[in-house]
Amino acid sequence: MSKVLVSDPIDQAGIDILSQVATVDVKTGLKPAELIEIIGEYDALMIRSGTRVTQEIIEAGTQLKIIGRAGVGVDNVDVPAATRRGIVVVNSPEGNTIAAAEHALAMMLSLSRHIPDANASVKRGEWDRKTFVGAEVYKKTLGVVGLGKIGSHVATVAKAMGMKLLAYDPFISTERAEQLGCQLVDLDLLMQQSDYITLHIPKTPETTHLINANTLAKMKPTARIINCARGGIIDEAALAAAIKEGKIAGAALDVFESEPLGESELRTVGKDIILTPHLGASTTEAQVNVAIDVAEQIRDVLLGLPARSA
Ligand code: NAD
Ligand code: MLT
């Protein structure tokens, strides 16, 4: 019987599917050396974002046929190294779209109404209604950077809340943007005119530090930026400085250059920043979706059926 190693927490629905065709070992929190030591026994590896699948791990996985990433981003897998060894890498491109979009929208509303700090204040026994006067999003401009699956859902919901929409995405047609009620513009114009900016792009060499001191300087002092896409798209030091110096009104981040977030200037910014620990996909529904989606693909490959690679 085939053997599957699950090295990050995955919903039971996925484990049940894998168990139909394989012996499944769930071993989370392994150190890289521990993973290297045992990976040679396994035909498949199923991960979330916690396991970094390096070239060394792939080379030690002499029996591996498939690596399944229960989520969208395969940036924690050395895909070229896997491809060289003939190992298929699969993901779940759509299973957590709604969860991530809703997290970005929750961040936008939490920022505009100071919900995290107001909540903390009441829990401290205070009743301070002056400090937490907020702003409405109705009739404000939302700039969506990346009008793919998640960006499109954010745009659709924001439109229903009465927001005006700008979008920057060089790979999307004007027609598609118009269907979503968005005006396609260049990044400079989006940064200048938006009251809220939300990022929904992959992290690539082109998008690393796409948002930096220069781009942040183009934002209105009343504008706020949200990143629920990938850490490193925003230059964190430049962002912390821009908020502390009052150049922008605030930010909400779910993803960081280094995760878990360690010592960071972002922690010292104060009330105008909201930080969550990579929770975009963390809904019950999304975790069931991605676990089933990826487990079915692993099952099919172990049965000798063709794969749909990431
Ligand atoms: P997608 O592929 O559907 O959309 C990405 C969009 O970005 C595409 O329309 C593409 O044309 C555009 N794009 C690519 N390069 C660009 C560039 N240089 N400038 C502007 N636009 C560019 O992806 P998606 O499913 O919408 O996911 C978006 C991001 O969200 C990914 O980075 C993904 O890993 C991340 N994500 C995070 C969480 C989370 O837990 N926080 C959850 C799911 C996805
Ligand atoms: C993804 O790429 O799917 C997200 O970052 C969510 C996750 O890692 O679980």
Side-chain angles (χ1 to χ4, degrees):
M1 206 177 195
S2 300
K3 284 188 80 178
V4 180
L5 176 63
V6 176
S7 64
D8 288 320
I10 302 290
D11 192 88
Q12 186 61 35
I15 314 275
D16 291 346
I17 290 167
L18 294 170
S19 302
Q20 294 165 5
V21 296
T23 303
V24 183
D25 291 337
V26 181
K27 295 183 182 179
T28 58
L30 293 172
K31 296 199 170 72
E34 293 169 329
L35 184 52
I36 287 171
E37 204 175 304
I38 61 169
I39 193 67
E41 301 168 32
Y42 293 96
D43 303 277
L45 172 64
M46 185 158 172
I47 58 166
R48 219 182 133 189
S49 56
T51 304
R52 181 150 290 280
V53 189
T54 59
Q55 179 170 344
E56 231 184 329
I57 290 167
I58 287 165
E59 279 166 8
T62 49
Q63 307 295 315
L64 273 184
K65 298 177 184 64
I66 181 164
I67 298 167
R69 161 71 163 94
V72 181
V74 287
D75 38 0
N76 55 329
V77 180
D78 187 335
V79 179
T83 307
R84 281 195 297 277
R85 292 247 4 263
I87 300 166
V88 185
V89 180
V90 297
N91 66 348
S92 176
E94 290 172 16
N96 58 29
T97 298
I98 301 298
E102 289 185 358
H103 197 68
L105 290 157
M107 291 289 226
M108 180 175 71
L109 293 172
S110 298
L111 265 180
S112 54
R113 303 304 291 268
H114 312 292
I115 288 171
D117 285 293
N119 168 64
S121 145
V122 174
K123 286 184 177 167
R124 280 194 304 269
E126 297 162 7
W127 193 256
D128 177 358
R129 300 175 70 210
K130 272 194 192 137
T131 307
F132 303 117
V133 174
E136 292 175 11
V137 300
Y138 181 65
K139 288 195 173 167
K140 298 286 172 21
T141 299
L142 174 65
V144 183
V145 179
L147 207 49
K149 294 182 288 296
I150 297 170
S152 297
H153 190 68
V154 168
T156 304
V157 177
K159 182 90 191 151
M161 289 197 293
M163 298 189 82
K164 181 181 167 206
L165 298 169
L166 299 178
Y168 167 65
D169 188 326
F171 308 105
I172 289 287
S173 68
T174 312
E175 293 71 33
R176 171 69 182 146
E178 279 170 4
Q179 271 174 11
L180 293 163
C182 296
Q183 183 190 347
L184 265 190
V185 292
D186 64 25
L187 186 60
D188 276 0
L189 199 69
L190 182 144
M191 300 301 294
Q192 285 159 10
Q193 296 197 347
S194 300
D195 300 299
Y196 297 87
I197 295 165
T198 184
L199 307 178
H200 300 291
I201 51 179
K203 188 178 175 202
T204 64
E206 293 74 39
T207 63
T208 299
H209 288 190
L210 181 72
I211 307 302
N212 52 44
N214 287 336
T215 37
L216 290 166
K218 299 194 164 96
M219 287 172 65
K220 299 182 198 178
T222 51
R224 298 174 169 96
I225 188 160
I226 299 138
N227 185 9
C228 292
R230 275 291 174 270
I233 296 172
I234 301 185
D235 177 340
E236 292 176 356
L239 177 69
I243 302 176
K244 281 182 183 169
E245 291 162 19
K247 290 182 179 156
I248 68 169
L253 307 178
D254 185 47
V255 287
F256 303 91
E257 296 194 63
S258 172
E259 294 181 12
L261 182 66
E263 278 302 302
S264 165
E265 273 188 77
L266 296 171
R267 290 179 187 271
T268 66
V269 169
K271 72 172 181 45
D272 296 323
I273 198 162
I274 299 175
L275 309 174
T276 55
H278 204 142
L279 292 182
S282 293
T283 64
T284 310
E285 296 86 347
Q287 286 313 305
V288 170
N289 291 343
V290 297
I292 292 176
D293 192 1
V294 171
E296 284 180 348
Q297 294 179 73
I298 293 177
R299 176 200 62 197
D300 289 353
V301 165
L302 295 180
L303 289 173
L305 299 168
R308 183 191 79 198
S309 64

